[in-house]
Amino acid sequence: MSQQSISSFSHKLLILFWFALIFVAVLNTAFWFIPTLVGEPFDWLTVTFPVEVTLPLPVMRSLLGFIPSMLSPFLTMAMLWQLIVLFRLYEQGAIFERKNVDCYKNLSYLLIASPFASIFSDVLVSLALTLDNEGFNLSAETNDADITMMVIGFIVRVIAVVMERAVELHEENELTI
């Protein structure tokens, strides 16, 4: 694949990643506040929470729950940001660079952290939604998608190690006459 085609393809992916980054933030915010403040009058929107709640919620409780509910979307946005940084480097022609290895490492750490962020988010959301009650309930769950993300994170970490070795070979090759 030529540098021109790599740059062109990277540019197209950058547009997609930027769109996805904005989409994740806006959509998750809307999908939190519409049901928690308006209730569930929409047939097309089914909402689940880690604990039993009565909708609509008071504004303060909705705001309190919003912050931990965004942990997983923030993690997704951080992953998208790492992809944006990586594909910007590819667009600029930087293929075997240390910065690319750093992007792969960061992406792997974020992927590995995803099931833990999901569990932590569920616990904090359940705490925020039941805080005013006579007691509070903690609830958390994980699913196969979270575990899959973690496994992919380990695979990306291996790719980061391979890329690091490729960078070393590339640097070594550039010094050879």
Side-chain angles (χ1 to χ4, degrees):
M1 196 175 228
S2 71
Q3 178 55 42
Q4 176 75 18
S5 61
I6 292 172
S7 291
S8 174
F9 187 65
S10 295
H11 181 73
K12 291 173 185 166
L13 283 176
L14 279 169
I15 293 168
L16 177 68
F17 293 146
W18 272 109
F19 176 76
L21 183 75
I22 294 165
F23 189 73
V24 165
V26 171
L27 198 64
N28 279 287
T29 301
F31 281 175
W32 177 263
F33 284 114
I34 289 172
T36 60
L37 293 178
V38 177
E40 283 194 77
F42 307 104
D43 292 335
W44 53 269
L45 182 61
T46 303
V47 182
T48 60
F49 297 99
V51 291
E52 198 68 34
V53 294
T54 304
L55 297 176
L57 296 173
V59 174
M60 193 61 191
R61 190 174 295 173
S62 179
L63 288 171
L64 268 175
F66 173 69
I67 296 166
S69 78
M70 287 298 286
L71 284 178
S72 290
F74 283 149
L75 195 67
T76 301
M77 292 186 306
M79 287 181 223
L80 286 165
W81 180 253
Q82 285 303 310
L83 289 170
I84 287 168
V85 171
L86 179 65
F87 280 89
R88 262 194 209 143
L89 291 167
Y90 287 160
E91 184 182 35
Q92 297 166 359
I95 307 297
F96 295 108
E97 302 286 333
R98 297 250 177 234
K99 293 176 188 174
N100 297 36
V101 173
D102 292 340
C103 288
Y104 279 108
K105 284 181 182 177
N106 292 339
L107 189 58
S108 72
Y109 299 143
L110 291 167
L111 286 162
I112 292 167
S114 65
F116 304 105
S118 178
I119 291 169
F120 190 60
S121 174
D122 280 353
V123 168
L124 291 178
V125 167
S126 65
L127 181 63
L129 293 179
T130 61
L131 198 56
D132 288 347
N133 297 347
E134 293 182 15
F136 58 86
N137 295 325
L138 295 179
S139 177
E141 66 179 47
T142 188
N143 57 36
D144 58 341
D146 291 329
I147 303 305
T148 302
M149 293 290 273
M150 188 168 72
V151 170
I152 291 170
F154 287 123
I155 294 168
V156 171
R157 182 67 177 111
V158 170
I159 292 170
V161 170
V162 171
M163 284 295 293
E164 192 167 32
R165 181 65 181 132
V167 167
E168 291 169 4
L169 290 172
H170 181 70
E171 290 171 349
E172 211 175 274
N173 193 28
E174 285 182 338
L175 296 174
T176 305
I177 300 177

